[in-house]
Amino acid sequence: MIEFHFLGTAAGVPTPKRNVTALGIRFPQQRNWVLIDCGEGTQHQLMQSELTLSRLNTIFLTHLHGDHCYGLPGILASRSLQGSGGEQTLTVIGPPGTKRLVETIIELTELNLSYPLQLIEFSTENWQRQHWDFSGFSVKPVELSHSIPSFAYRFTEAPRPGRFDVAKAKADGIPPGPIYQQLQQGKTVTLDDGRQVSGNHYIAAPPKPRQFVIGGDNDKPECLKTSLIDCDLLVHEATMTEEMRAAIQGHVSHSTASGIAQIAEKARLPNLVLTHFSARFMDQPHALQRVVDEARQYFSGQLFLANDFVQLHLDREGKLTQHLPSYTAHK
């Protein structure tokens, strides 16, 4: 399973039930995890989750508005004060200004880190040449449209081998043992009865690599049109509904539920997760149901509305399911 831990799902300012944006992602058979955005209070949210700072190895910033990065000083400091980061490098990746932001925090607060820190900044001119490989995935930025440079991140899984069909091997009279390892490697082996068998005969076709996109703030969902091809999942802001946007005078640098739903449907996306909800919804009864209703007018796949502390799991076949950890039962 790929685990998506929603640590903050509010836009702009926190609400009593939602903190500002932060999303933890943990990969199969990996103890380390990555963080997408780091709004104010993220370290406190982590204290109520399964994720630990000592295993955080990469932070991706979609853009530098405060509700996506004001939690960074606390995360950097707490990882040192806990003494649990060890020698593992923490990498911070982000758009223009990322280095200056982090270096200023370190300098002005006299922050002495107990671990190596790597800062990677890309620009609106060179983002297409950027990619990073880790935890069996390749990650590429995707430029979005916002009031300041904003990006999404597209994760693509490395090719996985097909599964070895043990039942089929046994049915053909091949006894379990070291020979199975050779067959799993696609080798041709000679059995005790003289038969020659090829491992390729017992290996299923490789599964489709999982791919997903995590978006930053964006007022033009069409920016993701190409990046969503063959994807299993999109996590994207739906800050407001069309009705709410119409009531606001002037330009709004955010997407509506219908806007992102239409792009997801055109891409034949199987799973769409909406997040980053405006605090205006707090004053409107059943407003989030209107988000669902608006998105459902256009999107026919699986639709989820993110909530703080809820986990979503993406399995090997690209199916997304919701998981509510036991530690949220009291909320």
Side-chain angles (χ1 to χ4, degrees):
M1 294 285 185
I2 303 172
E3 301 174 4
F4 299 86
H5 296 248
F6 289 87
L7 302 171
T9 58
V13 295
T15 72
K17 293 185 178 180
R18 296 180 185 272
N19 201 55
V20 284
T21 302
L23 171 62
I25 305 176
R26 188 158 56 185
F27 299 94
Q29 301 177 335
Q30 296 286 333
R31 299 181 67 185
N32 294 333
W33 61 282
V34 304
L35 179 64
I36 312 293
D37 284 333
C38 188
E40 180 183 357
T42 295
Q43 64 170 323
H44 190 267
Q45 299 291 93
L46 282 173
M47 294 171 66
Q48 302 180 65
S49 80
E50 299 173 357
L51 303 173
T52 61
L53 279 177
S54 62
R55 293 296 176 182
L56 172 62
N57 66 0
T58 307
I59 299 174
F60 293 92
L61 298 177
T62 62
H63 65 295
L64 299 186
H65 275 154
D67 59 324
H68 293 255
C69 70
Y70 280 169
L72 197 56
I75 290 289
L76 296 176
S78 291
R79 198 169 182 269
S80 274
L81 292 172
Q82 289 181 359
S84 56
E87 295 301 316
Q88 179 173 266
T89 298
L90 176 63
T91 301
V92 179
I93 299 173
T98 297
K99 284 187 177 181
R100 185 155 60 99
L101 171 67
V102 176
E103 289 171 351
T104 299
I105 291 170
I106 292 173
E107 177 187 355
L108 297 184
T109 64
E110 297 185 1
L111 180 57
N112 296 313
L113 301 179
S114 64
Y115 51 86
L117 181 67
Q118 180 183 25
L119 302 177
I120 299 176
E121 179 177 303
F122 54 90
S123 70
T124 53
E125 289 75 33
N126 71 3
W127 67 268
Q128 292 176 312
R129 298 190 294 273
Q130 302 295 312
H131 77 277
W132 309 276
D133 297 311
F134 63 92
S135 300
F137 279 78
S138 176
V139 186
K140 295 183 178 181
V142 180
E143 189 174 33
L144 303 177
S145 173
H146 194 47
S147 56
I148 64 173
S150 182
F151 290 81
Y153 292 99
R154 189 181 199 271
F155 290 72
T156 302
E157 187 175 27
R160 292 173 287 161
R163 289 184 175 181
F164 180 69
D165 193 336
V166 174
K168 186 175 182 180
K170 288 181 177 179
D172 286 350
I174 304 175
I179 196 171
Y180 275 20
Q181 183 176 2
Q182 299 177 53
L183 291 173
Q184 286 176 330
Q185 296 170 354
K187 296 180 179 179
T188 298
V189 299
T190 302
L191 304 179
D192 291 341
D193 60 9
R195 286 183 295 157
Q196 284 193 329
V197 294
S198 170
N200 293 328
H201 185 63
Y202 300 96
I203 299 175
K208 173 183 173 292
R210 287 169 289 187
Q211 302 180 81
F212 57 90
V213 173
I214 311 297
D217 289 0
N218 177 31
D219 60 18
K220 295 180 180 178
E222 58 268 24
C223 292
L224 292 166
K225 182 178 179 180
T226 302
S227 299
L228 293 179
I229 295 174
D230 292 330
C231 272
D232 300 292
L233 165 68
L234 169 64
V235 178
H236 196 277
E237 63 136 318
T239 303
M240 58 192 68
T241 61
E242 291 290 345
E243 180 184 7
M244 290 176 64
R245 184 161 71 175
I248 300 173
Q249 295 183 353
H251 178 70
V252 179
S253 300
H254 292 283
S255 293
T256 61
S258 65
I260 195 62
Q262 291 178 65
I263 290 298
E265 183 67 16
K266 289 178 181 178
R268 299 182 179 179
L269 200 71
N271 301 293
L272 173 62
V273 181
L274 301 179
T275 186
H276 195 270
F277 304 116
S278 171
R280 295 180 180 89
F281 285 122
M282 294 297 297
D283 301 323
Q284 301 184 25
H286 312 297
L288 288 181
Q289 182 58 48
R290 291 202 287 274
V291 172
V292 174
D293 294 342
E294 183 172 293
R296 272 287 171 230
Q297 294 180 44
Y298 304 98
F299 183 67
S300 60
Q302 278 206 111
L303 177 66
F304 296 84
L305 263 62
N307 289 292
D308 286 21
F309 302 113
V310 165
Q311 294 179 22
L312 295 177
H313 295 176
L314 188 67
D315 68 14
R316 290 175 62 92
E317 285 69 45
K319 181 180 180 181
L320 192 68
T321 56
Q322 181 170 302
H323 173 65
L324 186 64
S326 58
Y327 57 77
T328 64
H330 67 284
K331 293 185 175 296

